[in-house]
Amino acid sequence: MTGFEFSEIFGEFGKYLPDIGEYALAALNFIWPFVALVLLIAVLRSTWLFWRQTLFEHSIQFVLLELRIPREVRKSPRAMEQVLMAIHSLRNTANDLQEKYWDGEVTRWYALEIASFSGETHFYIRTYHKQRRLVEAAFFSYYPDVEVVEVPDYIDRMPASIAEMEEQGYDVWGSEMKLAKEDAYPIRTYTDFEAPDEERQFDPIANFLEMLGKLKQGEMVGIQIIIAPEGPEWAEHWEDLVEKLQESKKKEKRAITGEGETESFSSFTVRTPGQTDVLKAVEKNLSKPAFETILRFVYFSPKSIFYDSFARRGITGAFNQYGSLDTNRFVQNYSVSTRTKIWNFPYIFPHTRNEYRQRRLIFNYRHRQPPPEVFMGRILTSTFFNWNTHSRWFSMNAECIATVFHPPTFLVLTAPHIQRMESRKVGPPAGLAIYGDEKDLSDFQ
């Protein structure tokens, strides 16, 4: 097309279009190597970080501790919140370039787990082995009657792979939960279940114990909460949201004066009591230390009695008690759940995609695996039928996590579901001699 034809279509400006196109192509030809270099550096940096972080994660030695519950726990979940606050203080992070790019240091995570085998329920915490005594001290400080014992990993009682699951005649269903709204909005916490009258109090853990106690012989359920302490900047991220909630709405109104003229003026609407409660809940939520959180669960069962609705509706339904329409609630992360249909994107090979989801879920649960921190980590751990981009961290403060995971209180009937300690640990009597020579020791013996 000639310049004359351009000018006919675009007017006087059309004369310059061919020259502008040539300049644009020349600029693109000059810039694209720099753009490609920047992208290549970003990919190499992300790949390097994933490699170093993977080596650091594999070097971490964990220990699994079981919480053995006494006959009666008179402590409220507030005690568990204090335990989590103590765990939060153990947070590590990369402080310089060497720790970040060579050591690959990431914040060590913990696992809070509830596992039930044929109706017998256990509580576990998995921690870095060098921090074991500190974690035990935190529990003994607030739960003096709870025993914290190192145990073999119960995960070995579950099938390790799809092939082993098929060989044993099992089937699996599992998923992850996430928050429905922004992390700044809290779920219902234990304070919402407390009341001055003991008969009106309720422990939300009772719902899970009753449900897990209904498992049949051979069925297994594991609920896993991965937590990694966050820094104080997590609250700063939501400052704009708080300011938005604090703002009063301004409206323009018009009124007719005595002379018949129309005059406009501004008026401010006051927040409703419900809006005020939401603002208070958000501010309280952001005032406490938080953890990056992954919440997942698995359900194994012999195929003869496999009933996926037990997990798909029962377990996910038990999380509804923490929900509030005004603040936040748990919802299922359907992109991770092991239920794929032909009408789910990308609409092809549903059975194959579902099998890959099962493999990833079993692997992540067995290894307590959090999602990779860097983009290339997610890409390199993906497969054609299952991209590792759907599992997401979300933030919950210590109060919210303590509501979901804590030793059952005296309000819960634990006898049918938990192997309890029948004896109570007590300290030595006051005045007991602890110093002396060999003669005193022989006399004592």
Side-chain angles (χ1 to χ4, degrees):
M1 183 176 287
T2 64
F4 177 78
E5 293 170 331
F6 271 115
S7 63
E8 285 184 346
I9 300 174
F10 298 100
E12 186 67 22
F13 180 71
K15 296 186 299 182
Y16 304 101
L17 284 179
D19 295 335
I20 293 175
E22 292 178 5
Y23 293 147
L25 290 175
L28 181 63
N29 189 49
F30 177 77
I31 292 175
W32 79 262
F34 297 97
V35 175
L37 179 62
V38 170
L39 293 176
L40 179 61
I41 292 175
V43 170
L44 291 177
R45 173 185 175 276
S46 182
T47 304
W48 174 270
L49 279 175
F50 172 65
W51 174 49
R52 302 307 300 180
Q53 289 175 357
T54 301
L55 293 178
F56 180 84
E57 292 173 359
H58 289 170
S59 68
I60 303 174
Q61 298 180 29
F62 289 100
V63 59
L64 185 67
L65 306 175
E66 182 178 0
L67 307 181
R68 295 184 175 174
I69 313 299
R71 176 176 291 274
E72 189 176 83
V73 176
R74 304 297 300 187
K75 302 285 188 177
S76 78
R78 193 180 303 274
M80 187 65 202
E81 179 183 352
Q82 297 304 312
V83 173
L84 290 171
M85 298 279 274
I87 291 176
H88 190 279
S89 66
L90 303 177
R91 176 177 183 261
N92 71 295
T93 183
N95 295 317
D96 53 44
L97 294 178
Q98 177 182 341
E99 291 180 349
K100 180 176 182 179
Y101 288 98
W102 183 253
D103 298 336
E105 183 172 354
V106 297
T107 301
R108 297 186 187 91
W109 61 93
Y110 305 81
L112 310 174
E113 303 181 358
I114 305 174
S116 182
F117 299 90
S118 304
E120 183 180 302
T121 305
H122 301 262
F123 288 75
Y124 301 96
I125 179 171
R126 183 173 181 256
T127 182
Y128 180 43
H129 79 288
K130 289 186 177 181
Q131 297 176 349
R132 170 183 173 176
R133 289 182 295 175
L134 298 175
V135 173
E136 289 177 340
F139 271 100
F140 293 150
S141 297
Y142 297 98
Y143 291 101
D145 295 335
V146 172
E147 281 193 7
V148 183
V149 183
E150 181 178 356
V151 294
D153 200 340
Y154 74 90
I155 209 72
D156 295 330
R157 300 172 63 178
M158 296 181 175
S161 63
I162 297 294
E164 184 175 326
M165 184 181 69
E166 293 289 341
E167 182 181 345
Q168 297 178 6
Y170 274 80
D171 205 345
V172 65
W173 196 92
S175 185
E176 292 184 1
M177 306 296 290
K178 61 181 182 179
L179 294 178
K181 300 169 70 174
E182 292 93 336
D183 299 350
Y185 293 94
I187 60 172
R188 293 179 64 201
T189 64
Y190 62 84
T191 58
D192 299 307
F193 297 94
E194 294 178 343
D197 185 1
E198 183 175 309
E199 295 183 355
R200 299 177 60 186
Q201 293 187 25
F202 176 69
D203 187 350
I205 205 74
N207 197 348
F208 286 96
L209 291 182
E210 289 296 332
M211 179 191 59
L212 296 177
K214 301 300 182 183
L215 292 180
K216 299 178 181 179
Q217 187 66 33
E219 291 183 312
M220 296 173 283
V221 167
I223 300 173
Q224 185 179 94
I225 308 173
I226 305 293
I227 57 173
E230 284 194 85
E233 63 275 2
W234 93 277
E236 299 172 0
H237 178 72
W238 300 106
E239 288 180 353
D240 293 341
L241 175 63
V242 174
E243 292 178 0
K244 183 178 179 181
L245 293 175
Q246 290 173 342
E247 290 177 356
S248 298
K249 295 182 179 179
K250 182 178 179 181
K251 291 185 177 181
E252 292 288 337
K253 292 187 177 181
R254 295 180 180 273
I256 300 177
T257 62
E259 292 79 12
E261 297 179 356
T262 303
E263 182 179 351
S264 61
F265 62 94
S266 300
S267 66
F268 292 89
T269 58
V270 181
R271 285 187 298 271
T272 65
Q275 292 171 333
T276 302
D277 291 341
V278 170
L279 176 59
K280 290 181 179 179
V282 170
E283 290 180 332
K284 179 184 176 184
N285 185 47
L286 297 177
S287 68
K288 296 187 176 184
F291 297 79
E292 287 187 302
T293 308
I294 294 287
L295 202 165
R296 63 171 65 104
F297 59 88
V298 293
Y299 163 65
F300 288 98
S301 173
K303 291 185 177 181
S304 59
I305 57 175
F306 181 77
Y307 183 52
D308 67 340
S309 289
F310 178 84
R312 186 162 55 89
R313 303 188 189 279
I315 297 179
T316 57
F319 285 100
N320 289 338
Q321 63 185 325
Y322 304 113
S324 172
L325 297 179
D326 291 335
T327 51
N328 220 333
R329 67 187 190 280
F330 288 114
V331 294
Q332 189 183 151
N333 188 350
Y334 290 100
S335 300
V336 178
S337 65
T338 57
R339 188 171 186 263
T340 305
K341 298 297 182 180
I342 190 64
W343 51 80
N344 299 133
F345 181 83
Y347 316 114
I348 57 173
F349 308 119
H351 298 294
T352 302
R353 288 190 289 120
N354 194 63
E355 181 178 333
Y356 274 82
R357 287 191 182 189
Q358 291 176 338
R359 289 180 181 179
R360 186 176 299 281
L361 182 74
I362 294 174
F363 178 86
N364 287 344
Y365 191 94
R366 289 185 60 85
H367 295 85
R368 283 88 172 181
Q369 189 69 31
E373 290 191 1
V374 294
F375 173 75
M376 286 304 298
R378 291 180 177 270
I379 297 300
L380 294 174
T381 55
S382 296
T383 63
F384 178 77
F385 291 102
N386 184 249
W387 291 90
N388 191 17
T389 56
H390 304 295
S391 183
R392 298 291 182 188
W393 289 104
F394 59 88
S395 297
M396 288 177 58
N397 71 8
E399 181 179 330
C400 295
I401 296 175
T403 303
V404 180
F405 181 93
H406 60 267
T409 66
F410 70 98
L411 300 170
V412 182
L413 181 63
T414 60
H417 315 302
I418 300 177
Q419 283 190 349
R420 303 175 305 182
M421 296 188 307
E422 298 300 331
S423 60
R424 184 176 184 272
K425 296 188 301 180
V426 295
L432 183 65
I434 57 175
Y435 298 104
D437 52 24
E438 293 184 0
K439 180 177 181 300
D440 296 329
L441 181 61
S442 61
D443 291 343
F444 176 78
Q445 293 176 341

